[in-house]
PDB file of all heavy atoms in Angstrom:
ATOM      1  N   ALA A  11       9.622  25.000  12.877  1.00 87.00           N
ATOM      2  CA  ALA A  11      11.065  24.934  13.068  1.00 87.00           C
ATOM      3  C   ALA A  11      11.415  24.068  14.274  1.00 87.00           C
ATOM      4  O   ALA A  11      12.368  23.276  14.233  1.00 87.00           O
ATOM      5  CB  ALA A  11      11.639  26.338  13.237  1.00 87.00           C
ATOM      6  N   VAL A  77      -6.039 -14.494  -6.756  1.00 97.00           N
ATOM      7  CA  VAL A  77      -6.437 -15.657  -5.974  1.00 97.00           C
ATOM      8  C   VAL A  77      -6.369 -15.265  -4.496  1.00 97.00           C
ATOM      9  O   VAL A  77      -5.710 -14.287  -4.145  1.00 97.00           O
ATOM     10  CB  VAL A  77      -5.501 -16.865  -6.255  1.00 97.00           C
ATOM     11  CG1 VAL A  77      -5.696 -17.386  -7.662  1.00 97.00           C
ATOM     12  CG2 VAL A  77      -4.036 -16.513  -6.021  1.00 97.00           C
ATOM     13  N   PRO A  86     -16.075  -9.419  -3.943  1.00 97.00           N
ATOM     14  CA  PRO A  86     -15.360 -10.545  -4.538  1.00 97.00           C
ATOM     15  C   PRO A  86     -13.867 -10.266  -4.647  1.00 97.00           C
ATOM     16  O   PRO A  86     -13.422  -9.138  -4.400  1.00 97.00           O
ATOM     17  CB  PRO A  86     -16.012 -10.663  -5.918  1.00 97.00           C
ATOM     18  CG  PRO A  86     -16.403  -9.257  -6.245  1.00 97.00           C
ATOM     19  CD  PRO A  86     -16.875  -8.674  -4.937  1.00 97.00           C
ATOM     20  N   THR A  88     -12.072  -9.737  -7.054  1.00 97.00           N
ATOM     21  CA  THR A  88     -11.722  -8.723  -8.057  1.00 97.00           C
ATOM     22  C   THR A  88     -11.928  -7.303  -7.550  1.00 97.00           C
ATOM     23  O   THR A  88     -11.560  -6.342  -8.234  1.00 97.00           O
ATOM     24  CB  THR A  88     -12.563  -8.936  -9.326  1.00 97.00           C
ATOM     25  OG1 THR A  88     -13.947  -8.979  -8.961  1.00 97.00           O
ATOM     26  CG2 THR A  88     -12.185 -10.233 -10.024  1.00 97.00           C
ATOM     27  N   ALA A 139      10.348  -6.393   7.315  1.00 98.00           N
ATOM     28  CA  ALA A 139      11.541  -6.893   6.616  1.00 98.00           C
ATOM     29  C   ALA A 139      11.493  -6.470   5.159  1.00 98.00           C
ATOM     30  O   ALA A 139      10.424  -6.219   4.602  1.00 98.00           O
ATOM     31  CB  ALA A 139      11.604  -8.420   6.708  1.00 98.00           C
ATOM     32  N   ILE A 167      -1.288 -12.487   3.890  1.00 97.00           N
ATOM     33  CA  ILE A 167      -1.273 -13.820   4.487  1.00 97.00           C
ATOM     34  C   ILE A 167      -1.752 -13.712   5.930  1.00 97.00           C
ATOM     35  O   ILE A 167      -1.249 -12.881   6.690  1.00 97.00           O
ATOM     36  CB  ILE A 167       0.133 -14.444   4.451  1.00 97.00           C
ATOM     37  CG1 ILE A 167       0.712 -14.404   3.038  1.00 97.00           C
ATOM     38  CG2 ILE A 167       0.089 -15.879   4.967  1.00 97.00           C
ATOM     39  CD1 ILE A 167       2.123 -14.958   2.934  1.00 97.00           C
ATOM     40  N   GLU A 174       2.420 -17.963  15.366  1.00 96.00           N
ATOM     41  CA  GLU A 174       2.433 -18.464  13.998  1.00 96.00           C
ATOM     42  C   GLU A 174       2.904 -17.392  13.022  1.00 96.00           C
ATOM     43  O   GLU A 174       3.616 -17.684  12.053  1.00 96.00           O
ATOM     44  CB  GLU A 174       1.042 -18.960  13.607  1.00 96.00           C
ATOM     45  CG  GLU A 174       0.605 -20.238  14.300  1.00 96.00           C
ATOM     46  CD  GLU A 174       0.022 -19.996  15.688  1.00 96.00           C
ATOM     47  OE1 GLU A 174       0.023 -18.827  16.153  1.00 96.00           O
ATOM     48  OE2 GLU A 174      -0.436 -20.975  16.308  1.00 96.00           O
ATOM     49  N   ALA A 176       5.016 -14.965  13.714  1.00 96.00           N
ATOM     50  CA  ALA A 176       6.467 -14.839  13.886  1.00 96.00           C
ATOM     51  C   ALA A 176       7.202 -15.961  13.161  1.00 96.00           C
ATOM     52  O   ALA A 176       8.246 -15.735  12.534  1.00 96.00           O
ATOM     53  CB  ALA A 176       6.818 -14.836  15.372  1.00 96.00           C
ATOM     54  N   LEU A 182       9.731 -16.799   5.786  1.00 97.00           N
ATOM     55  CA  LEU A 182       9.723 -15.984   4.579  1.00 97.00           C
ATOM     56  C   LEU A 182      11.040 -15.239   4.407  1.00 97.00           C
ATOM     57  O   LEU A 182      11.638 -15.227   3.324  1.00 97.00           O
ATOM     58  CB  LEU A 182       8.568 -14.988   4.623  1.00 97.00           C
ATOM     59  CG  LEU A 182       7.151 -15.550   4.536  1.00 97.00           C
ATOM     60  CD1 LEU A 182       6.137 -14.431   4.714  1.00 97.00           C
ATOM     61  CD2 LEU A 182       6.923 -16.272   3.218  1.00 97.00           C
ATOM     62  N   SER A 194      14.149 -14.263 -10.594  1.00 97.00           N
ATOM     63  CA  SER A 194      12.786 -13.828 -10.934  1.00 97.00           C
ATOM     64  C   SER A 194      12.798 -12.364 -11.376  1.00 97.00           C
ATOM     65  O   SER A 194      13.782 -11.648 -11.168  1.00 97.00           O
ATOM     66  CB  SER A 194      11.869 -13.987  -9.725  1.00 97.00           C
ATOM     67  OG  SER A 194      11.947 -12.863  -8.866  1.00 97.00           O
ATOM     68  N   PRO A 195      11.688 -11.867 -11.943  1.00 98.00           N
ATOM     69  CA  PRO A 195      11.596 -10.452 -12.295  1.00 98.00           C
ATOM     70  C   PRO A 195      11.249  -9.553 -11.110  1.00 98.00           C
ATOM     71  O   PRO A 195      11.094  -8.349 -11.290  1.00 98.00           O
ATOM     72  CB  PRO A 195      10.485 -10.423 -13.343  1.00 98.00           C
ATOM     73  CG  PRO A 195       9.642 -11.591 -13.032  1.00 98.00           C
ATOM     74  CD  PRO A 195      10.556 -12.642 -12.485  1.00 98.00           C
ATOM     75  N   GLU A 219      -8.087  -5.154  10.363  1.00 76.00           N
ATOM     76  CA  GLU A 219      -8.204  -6.537  10.819  1.00 76.00           C
ATOM     77  C   GLU A 219      -6.820  -7.177  10.881  1.00 76.00           C
ATOM     78  O   GLU A 219      -5.868  -6.711  10.284  1.00 76.00           O
ATOM     79  CB  GLU A 219      -9.102  -7.326   9.855  1.00 76.00           C
ATOM     80  CG  GLU A 219     -10.520  -6.775   9.757  1.00 76.00           C
ATOM     81  CD  GLU A 219     -11.339  -7.494   8.701  1.00 76.00           C
ATOM     82  OE1 GLU A 219     -10.745  -8.275   7.923  1.00 76.00           O
ATOM     83  OE2 GLU A 219     -12.555  -7.272   8.651  1.00 76.00           O
ATOM     84  N   ALA A 237       3.211 -10.505 -18.183  1.00 97.00           N
ATOM     85  CA  ALA A 237       4.221 -11.143 -19.021  1.00 97.00           C
ATOM     86  C   ALA A 237       4.989 -12.241 -18.302  1.00 97.00           C
ATOM     87  O   ALA A 237       5.716 -13.005 -18.942  1.00 97.00           O
ATOM     88  CB  ALA A 237       5.210 -10.089 -19.531  1.00 97.00           C
ATOM     89  N   VAL A 259      -3.709 -12.552  -3.461  1.00 98.00           N
ATOM     90  CA  VAL A 259      -2.573 -12.293  -4.338  1.00 98.00           C
ATOM     91  C   VAL A 259      -3.132 -11.458  -5.483  1.00 98.00           C
ATOM     92  O   VAL A 259      -3.972 -11.929  -6.249  1.00 98.00           O
ATOM     93  CB  VAL A 259      -1.951 -13.590  -4.883  1.00 98.00           C
ATOM     94  CG1 VAL A 259      -0.804 -13.261  -5.837  1.00 98.00           C
ATOM     95  CG2 VAL A 259      -1.464 -14.475  -3.743  1.00 98.00           C
ATOM     96  N   PRO A 267       0.493   9.135 -14.084  1.00 96.00           N
ATOM     97  CA  PRO A 267      -0.030  10.330 -13.416  1.00 96.00           C
ATOM     98  C   PRO A 267      -0.493  11.392 -14.404  1.00 96.00           C
ATOM     99  O   PRO A 267       0.134  11.631 -15.442  1.00 96.00           O
ATOM    100  CB  PRO A 267       1.169  10.823 -12.592  1.00 96.00           C
ATOM    101  CG  PRO A 267       1.962   9.590 -12.324  1.00 96.00           C
ATOM    102  CD  PRO A 267       1.827   8.761 -13.568  1.00 96.00           C
TER     103      PRO A 267
END
Side-chain angles (χ1 to χ4, degrees):
V77 291
T88 53
I167 308 178
E174 290 83 356
L182 292 175
S194 85
E219 299 175 350
V259 178

